[in-house]
Amino acid sequence: MTKPVLTIPTCYYTDPTFYELEKEKIFWRTWQFVCHTTDISEAGSFWTTDIAGESIVVVHGMDGQVRAFFNVCRHRGHRLTEADGVCTRLVCPYHAWAYDLDGTLSNARGTDDVEGFDKADYGLKAVRVESFCGLLFVNLDADATPLGDLHPGLREEILEKQPRLESMIRVHSECVPHACNWKVSVENYNECYHCPVAHKYIVSNLYSADEYRITVENDVVRHFSPRLEQRDVHGDLIIWSLWPNLSIQCQPIHHSVSIRHFRGVNHRQSVYDYLWFIDPDLPAHAKAEVLEMGQKTYASTNAIEDQMIVKNVQLGLESRGYERGPLVLKPGPASENEHAVAFFQSRYLQTIESLAIF
Ligand code: FES
Ligand SMILES: [Fe+2]
């Protein structure tokens, strides 16, 4: 009789060597979410983000172009900005070198008589940036395949389910700490085997655990569950979870959309950025209901329940009493199935070790 498929060894969650390897092989080579285009809709607006320790600034130029740069001054390496805002030039806080929003070094104080110095040699270093369904992504790999080419048809599929996504505005954002390796968070997110046990309120009041379906295809994990009541007003739960660490969720509350971007801090700590977006034309009462759902139901109930789970899984993975466990894999997209965890772990090994086990 064949044995069940086992989870990958715990060293991938407990050994700092692998987190360093993940920076090179995963975070700095895949498309990483930054913000919504409406977050930097004004000419001159900019947004900074951290990609596994690399700070990147995304800028809406005066010419209307969105560009991304390493957030580092070409003089002696000071960080240009720590936040988001609006400006006409990016000015370094150290010696006030100033960069136009297309990255050109336009002013370098006191360098006119420096022999051989040419400002044209010291523009900001550019990073790839793309808009996908109104969401901005960057990729530190200059040779990366465009996001749309990695997922043919996905843009159309998402916009069919939520045609207003490109013009939605952010109404809530928070950074949720997880006391675990980032992969524990992603794996927990991509199975609903635990929902009837750990998320009793949500599966009793919002959407169905029994009818929860998860499918995996071409680096995308899709989740679906029908809302229990008023489906015509609010829509259903639909999720696209993109390898390696982003989920886009059509929430079953006035067709709003949320994003979870899981990010590593070190080998045993992570965070996820949790952002909610709504159609700006939504009536005030509907907007209030979305906020209540986002802040009370998800932020205070669902998020805390998962925070406890992932923390306790990490502690178990660090125990000498645990090595590998059997995954619950069975045919079909049944709710009690861990096939998306198996996909994630297999995809991870393929990336880190150039090896696939499942
Ligand atoms: S390090 Fe930026 S101006 Fe000197
Ligand atoms: Fe959960």
Side-chain angles (χ1 to χ4, degrees):
M1 213 166 87
T2 53
K3 296 273 190 191
V5 169
L6 298 181
T7 55
I8 59 177
T10 54
C11 59
Y12 293 108
Y13 304 81
T14 60
D15 182 342
T17 314
F18 289 107
Y19 182 63
E20 293 306 311
L21 207 54
E22 289 163 5
K23 290 182 183 177
E24 294 284 352
K25 295 198 169 195
I26 296 179
F27 295 114
W28 296 338
R29 284 200 194 177
T30 52
W31 290 97
Q32 294 290 316
F33 171 75
V34 179
C35 62
H36 197 288
T37 48
T38 54
D39 286 319
I40 55 165
S41 55
E42 192 181 333
S45 50
F46 63 92
W47 192 277
T48 56
T49 190
D50 178 276
I51 312 289
E54 285 287 2
S55 185
I56 305 296
V57 58
V58 178
V59 184
H60 185 149
M62 295 305 178
D63 56 359
Q65 279 275 332
V66 171
R67 299 178 179 86
F69 305 102
F70 283 99
N71 181 16
V72 56
C73 178
R74 294 292 306 280
H75 175 217
R76 296 216 344 257
H78 198 286
R79 197 162 273 195
L80 290 169
T81 178
E82 296 289 344
D84 50 276
V86 182
C87 65
T88 52
R89 294 194 297 179
L90 288 166
V91 180
C92 178
Y94 197 1
H95 312 95
W97 282 22
Y99 300 87
D100 288 344
L101 300 185
D102 63 359
T104 307
L105 176 61
S106 55
N107 186 28
R109 277 177 51 242
T111 56
D112 287 349
D113 46 3
V114 175
E115 197 178 324
F117 179 81
D118 183 350
K119 289 202 288 287
D121 294 337
Y122 298 101
L124 296 179
K125 290 219 162 156
V127 170
R128 294 269 304 277
V129 59
E130 282 190 17
S131 171
F132 187 83
C133 299
L135 308 174
L136 288 174
F137 291 79
V138 292
N139 196 320
L140 273 56
D141 178 1
D143 300 321
T145 303
L147 190 52
D149 293 354
L150 286 175
H151 303 293
L154 184 61
R155 187 191 309 262
E156 293 75 16
E157 180 186 328
I158 293 174
L159 291 178
E160 187 193 331
K161 299 292 184 196
Q162 180 36 277
R164 303 299 301 269
L165 178 55
E166 289 173 307
S167 57
M168 281 186 156
I169 55 168
R170 188 163 44 92
V171 289
H172 178 71
S173 56
E174 61 183 305
C175 183
V176 181
H178 268 183
C180 66
N181 183 286
W182 67 278
K183 300 189 291 299
V184 173
S185 301
V186 175
E187 290 170 3
N188 174 62
Y189 184 78
N190 278 321
E191 53 95 349
C192 207
Y193 183 27
H194 72 280
C195 294
V197 185
H199 302 309
K200 288 191 174 66
Y201 176 81
I202 281 184
V203 298
S204 313
N205 293 281
L206 193 54
Y207 52 75
S208 164
D210 294 340
E211 294 179 74
Y212 205 102
R213 295 290 177 265
I214 296 178
T215 58
V216 182
E217 190 184 355
N218 187 28
D219 277 355
V220 182
V221 176
R222 290 171 173 82
H223 303 222
F224 172 81
S225 183
R227 183 177 160 115
L228 295 172
E229 294 171 347
Q230 296 185 291
R231 294 178 68 187
D232 49 336
V233 177
H234 295 289
D236 297 319
L237 177 73
I238 306 169
I239 297 172
W240 298 269
S241 193
L242 275 53
W243 163 262
N245 60 339
L246 184 80
S247 93
I248 304 167
Q249 310 153 318
C250 288
Q251 294 286 4
I253 176 77
H254 293 294
H255 301 275
S256 57
V257 170
S258 65
I259 297 281
R260 287 186 206 219
H261 186 203
F262 298 94
R263 301 189 290 120
V265 174
N266 58 39
H267 65 290
R268 61 196 303 272
Q269 286 180 297
S270 57
V271 295
Y272 69 85
D273 296 321
Y274 190 36
L275 315 170
W276 278 71
F277 301 92
I278 58 164
D279 182 341
D281 296 333
L282 215 54
H285 75 88
K287 182 179 171 185
E289 285 176 39
V290 173
L291 285 172
E292 184 176 339
M293 175 77 81
Q295 292 170 351
K296 291 191 182 162
T297 307
Y298 279 91
S300 66
T301 306
N302 185 281
I304 289 171
E305 289 162 350
D306 279 322
Q307 270 180 316
M308 295 304 293
I309 288 172
V310 296
K311 174 182 135 189
N312 283 303
V313 169
Q314 181 70 29
L315 292 174
L317 295 173
E318 293 173 358
S319 166
R320 284 181 290 171
Y322 181 83
E323 288 172 357
R324 302 172 73 178
L327 286 168
V328 176
L329 302 180
K330 45 200 179 182
S335 57
E336 296 184 345
N337 205 329
E338 294 176 314
H339 57 307
V341 179
F343 153 74
F344 179 81
Q345 297 195 353
S346 175
R347 188 71 173 80
Y348 176 79
L349 278 194
Q350 182 191 26
T351 307
I352 290 291
E353 309 276 22
S354 303
L355 154 100
I357 54 166
F358 305 143

